[in-house]
Structure formats: C-alpha cells, structure tokens
Amino acid sequence: MADSATISRPDQEDSELKRSITGRLLFFYTLGDVLGSGIYVLIGLVAAAVGGAFWIAFALGVTVAAITGAAYAELVTKYPQAAGASLYVNKAFGNRPLTFLITVSFLAASMAASGSLATGFASYFAELWSGPPALLVSLVFVALLVVVNYIGITESVVINMLMTFVEAAGLVIVMIIGIVYIAQGNADFGVLTQIDTGGDYSSPALAVLAGISFSFFAMTGFENTVNVAEETIEPYKAFPRSLVGGMLVAGLVYVLVSMAAALTVPTDTLASSDAALLEVVKAGILPFSTDLMAKAFSIIALVAITNTTLVTIVTQPRILYGMAREDVVPGIFAKIHPVRRSPWVGLLFSGLVVSLLLVIGTAVTASGGGIDLVGRLATVTVVLLLAIYALVIVSCLRLRGQDEHEDIFRANTPLLLLGLVGNLAILGFTVYDDPHSLIWCAGLLAVGGVLFLAEHFFGSRGTGDRTPDLEGV
C-alpha cells in the first residue's frame, strides 16, 4: 500500500458542499434507504414466484447486494466525492462516453425508482383519502421532497433518520405478529421450505432466481449513500461501518419479516395482494382493532415510501453536480445555492424529469397500455442498477494499487468476484423474464442524450470544479 503521506486525500481538498453528516446519521441514511418501501410493496411478487420459502430469495439477494456494497465502501474511501459509480468508472477507464453512459444509467434508474415509489405512495394514500387524483398526489409528493432537499442535506438526512425509525417499527410489528403466532402454537414451519414449481417457473432454482429478481428492488439504495461523501464527516471511518453494517441489518430484518409473513398468512393470499404485509396485520393475530391496525400500518407504509423517495431525490442532483465537475455533463449542474448549499439546478432538473415520467406513465396506463406502472418502473430500476453494480465491481478491481493510502477499506477479492457473477446472473434473468423493460430503459437513457449533446457541442472543457462562478445562482 502506498505511503499516505505522499498521496493527496480527496477529503483534504475544499468542497463546495457542507460536511455535516456524522457516522451515525450515515448508518441510518443507508439503513433507511435499503429498509425502505420495497419490502412493503414487492413482497407479494416474491411470494408468488417462490412460494413459502421466499425468504431464501431475500437472503440471497441481500448477500449479493452486500458484497456489491463492499466494493462501494472500498471505492468511496479511496475517492470520497460526489457522483458515486460514475466517478469510479471514470477513474477506472477514463472513457468519457462510458462514464456518461453510467451517469445517465444511474440517473435513469434513480428517476425510475422515484416514479415507481411516487405511484406507490398515491396508491397507499388512496387507502386513507381517495379524493385527489393519483397523478396529482404523486406530483405534489415529488414537489414536496424537492423542497425538502433544497432546504439542505442535514435536514434531509435527519428527516430520513426519523422516518427510518417509523418504517422499522412497521416491520417490527410484522415480526411481533409472527412471534405471537408461533407462541400460540399455530405455526407450520414446513411452509418455510416450500418452493412452488407449478407456476411460471418449472424448477426450484428458477423460482428462487425469479424471487431474487423481484426482490432486488428492495435491496437497492445503498449506492445512494456514497453520493453524500463530500458531506460526510470523516468518510474513511464512517462509510465501511455504515454502508456494510446498514446492509447486513436490513438483510436480517428482511429475512425475519419474510418468515413471519409466510408463517402467518397463506402464500396465495400474499401473492395476490398489492400490499402483502398489510394482510399480515389484517390477520387479527394481535388483540387490537383490525381496522385501526390496518390504517396505522398504511400510514407507516406511506412513511417508508417517503423515506426511500427522499433519498433517491437527494442522489440525483448530486450525481449531476459531481459529474459536472468532471466535465461529463454541462457545468450549470455544478451550481450551488449560496445560502442553502444545495445543488439547486440539478435538483430542479431531477424533479422535472420524474414529474414528466409520472405524467407519461399515467397516460400510457390510462390508454390501455396493459402495464403495472409500479412493477415496470421497479424492473427498469433493477436492470439499470445491476449493470452498474457489475461495472462498479470491475472498476474496484481495476483500481487496486492506485490512489491508495492507509485509511482505505479493502474488500475481499474472492467475494467481489462472487458478487460480480451474482449481479450478472440476476441481470440476465431479469431481462429474459421481462424483455419489454429494455424499451423503457432505452427511453430513459435517451433523455441523457440531450445532456450529452449539450456538453459535447456547447460545454467548456476544464471548467468543472475550477469554475469561479460555482457558488453563483
């Protein structure tokens, strides 16, 4: 390893962003994003694919995701700067078109996730108040989160931490229901080993792989954490523990919640429900009013969706900010508000694109397009992120021996290779199972073509982080 005294550490350089995120806040930031709405929304799809043993899909999926998180932890301690995967690929290959493709792919994945979550929020909101149109609820929801992000990163992360406690409480309720059901002597543990091969998937391996593919949306989010590297205090100490630790805690919770759901509610009931965890609450196992519990749990689900969406919207402008400083996207995205210290141009752009995605998706659905907007956007997110995860692991291995100092985290090489194979396997199956998702991926990536042409023909090389007007409005 190189002598740290002779290598410039990125966190020693001036950053236009404010360092205010502690290690504890970063842990809850990671946990809150990973432990977000995916488990609330997609658990029914996983149960339908696998059967009673669908907890295996969550366990294997989070294992692959945690290994990928270790690659991110190594790279972020080596390059604690905004932009995440885009920056790492740029450092590893120095290829502007490839870097730009990764940037746009990550933005597209993040925006697709935001659209899926906003649509899911509107669906849960309708359980409490069915008056406003779903599209209006989704658009207002996105706008409010844009405002929160504009106010500042510290406020966003503190809100994220508070909402993490709420969404975790909802999952704890599900686990308590499972414990009570077991204590009553009614649980059939044999269901936890049942894999359904009579449906769309003819072998246990395919059924589990399908379950991993459907569940992987719930595993994502950890990649957003590295995009606040320039706003984190002592990133070399904070990231390995917060990122990998948050993933492991989330994975344990997912497995326990899956087991509780499988034991207390028939798999067919879970599979046919758009809000499978709500079916666990409605089972009437706890000695409380079922209607009251259902409404309370719906509110918790809304908080969980809000939490995850908040983090995705935090991420989008920071990717644009970081890559503007690398001269990959137009320099205007490096604009920082002089008072709030937030990347306001990128934030407005991100909010606009997500809103347009919601409008277009709603129009396609209303015209008889025959799609589940939440599921389709979730699949698009997974396809794009799996490709990025694989390339990040390759970049991590390629950058070994470069820009190293005594404080970096070192991921286990055999595990990284295993994670690479796992990401590619899940990606291949997901595309095979839903090839139409590639059309939506292409449509979102095309949005980035405008940015590419703008930077290529009108951008000024070398303006990046040396732009004197960086703090201008």
Side-chain angles (χ1 to χ4, degrees):
M1 186 173 295
D3 184 357
S4 62
T6 63
I7 294 179
S8 174
R9 290 170 29 160
D11 69 331
Q12 293 173 341
E13 301 172 1
D14 290 336
S15 174
E16 294 294 336
L17 299 173
K18 179 182 178 183
R19 291 194 184 276
S20 58
I21 303 175
T22 64
R24 182 174 298 178
L25 284 176
L26 189 67
F27 171 81
F28 285 107
Y29 186 74
T30 303
L31 181 63
D33 199 14
V34 178
L35 203 63
S37 56
I39 189 72
Y40 284 90
V41 176
L42 298 175
I43 192 172
L45 288 175
V46 183
V50 182
F54 65 90
W55 64 271
I56 297 175
F58 280 100
L60 293 177
V62 81
T63 298
V64 174
I67 293 172
T68 308
Y72 273 91
E74 177 173 332
L75 289 166
V76 75
T77 55
K78 187 179 289 188
Y79 309 108
Q81 303 165 37
S86 303
L87 176 66
Y88 309 147
V89 172
N90 193 39
K91 295 285 187 181
F93 298 98
N95 185 296
R96 287 175 58 82
L98 177 61
T99 300
F100 184 81
L101 178 61
I102 294 300
T103 301
V104 175
S105 295
F106 194 92
L107 282 171
S110 181
M111 290 170 179
S114 297
S116 176
L117 294 167
T119 304
F121 180 92
S123 299
Y124 270 99
F125 189 83
E127 295 291 326
L128 302 176
W129 183 25
S130 59
L135 177 59
L136 178 61
V137 173
S138 298
L139 293 175
V140 172
F141 174 63
V142 171
L144 289 175
L145 293 184
V146 167
V147 171
V148 170
N149 275 283
Y150 166 77
I151 292 173
I153 185 64
T154 303
E155 291 81 1
S156 298
V157 174
V158 170
I159 291 173
N160 166 268
M161 182 179 68
L162 296 175
M163 288 192 292
T164 296
F165 290 135
V166 175
E167 69 186 18
L171 300 179
V172 169
I173 289 173
V174 173
M175 288 187 282
I176 290 174
I177 291 174
I179 292 172
V180 171
Y181 194 70
I182 293 171
Q184 292 173 347
N186 297 321
D188 176 14
F189 290 97
V191 73
L192 298 179
T193 63
Q194 295 175 359
I195 298 179
D196 182 15
T197 57
D200 296 333
Y201 308 102
S202 57
S203 72
L206 284 178
V208 172
L209 191 56
I212 295 173
S213 175
F214 289 135
S215 70
F216 212 79
F217 184 78
M219 314 301 172
T220 63
F222 64 89
E223 73 284 346
N224 293 325
T225 305
V226 300
N227 291 289
V228 297
E230 292 188 43
E231 295 149 287
T232 301
I233 300 169
E234 296 185 324
Y236 301 102
K237 295 181 180 179
F239 272 96
R241 289 178 293 187
S242 300
L243 206 160
V244 179
M247 290 291 297
L248 293 177
V249 171
L252 177 62
V253 171
Y254 279 168
V255 170
L256 293 177
V257 167
S258 300
M259 288 181 171
L263 289 172
T264 55
V265 177
T267 304
D268 291 343
T269 302
L270 295 174
S272 62
S273 175
D274 292 331
L277 291 185
L278 193 58
E279 300 298 330
V280 178
V281 175
K282 290 179 178 179
I285 296 172
L286 295 182
F288 302 105
S289 167
T290 302
D291 290 340
L292 179 62
M293 288 284 293
K295 288 186 181 299
F297 198 82
S298 295
I299 294 173
I300 291 173
L302 288 175
V303 172
I305 294 172
T306 301
N307 197 15
T308 306
T309 314
L310 174 64
V311 177
T312 62
I313 293 180
V314 164
T315 298
Q316 293 155 18
R318 281 160 178 80
I319 296 173
L320 290 167
Y321 165 83
M323 296 320 295
R325 298 198 309 168
E326 296 285 329
D327 294 320
V328 177
V329 298
I332 191 172
F333 290 110
K335 295 282 187 180
I336 299 293
H337 193 275
V339 177
R340 304 311 312 178
R341 313 306 299 162
S342 57
W344 66 277
V345 176
L347 183 56
L348 290 176
F349 177 81
S350 299
L352 177 61
V353 173
V354 173
S355 298
L356 288 175
L357 185 62
L358 287 169
V359 171
I360 294 171
T362 302
V364 171
T365 303
S367 64
I371 64 167
D372 173 9
L373 186 58
V374 173
R376 175 53 54 82
L377 291 177
T379 300
V380 169
T381 303
V382 168
V383 167
L384 293 169
L385 286 181
L386 283 169
I388 293 171
Y389 290 168
L391 196 53
V392 165
I393 293 177
V394 173
S395 298
C396 181
L397 295 172
R398 184 180 176 88
L399 288 167
R400 286 281 170 84
Q402 300 181 36
D403 301 319
E404 295 189 349
H405 52 80
E406 61 184 7
D407 292 328
I408 69 165
F409 170 79
R410 183 90 170 201
N412 181 273
T413 301
L415 280 181
L416 291 182
L417 294 174
L418 179 62
L420 177 61
V421 172
N423 278 302
L424 292 176
I426 301 170
L427 173 60
F429 179 85
T430 303
V431 173
Y432 170 80
D433 195 51
D434 185 8
H436 292 97
S437 63
L438 293 178
I439 299 174
W440 285 71
C441 290
L444 278 170
L445 293 177
V447 174
V450 177
L451 296 180
F452 177 81
L453 293 175
E455 173 62 16
H456 181 73
F457 290 108
F458 305 109
S460 298
R461 295 292 180 264
T463 57
D465 57 0
R466 294 176 294 280
T467 304
D469 189 39
L470 189 60
E471 296 189 44
V473 179

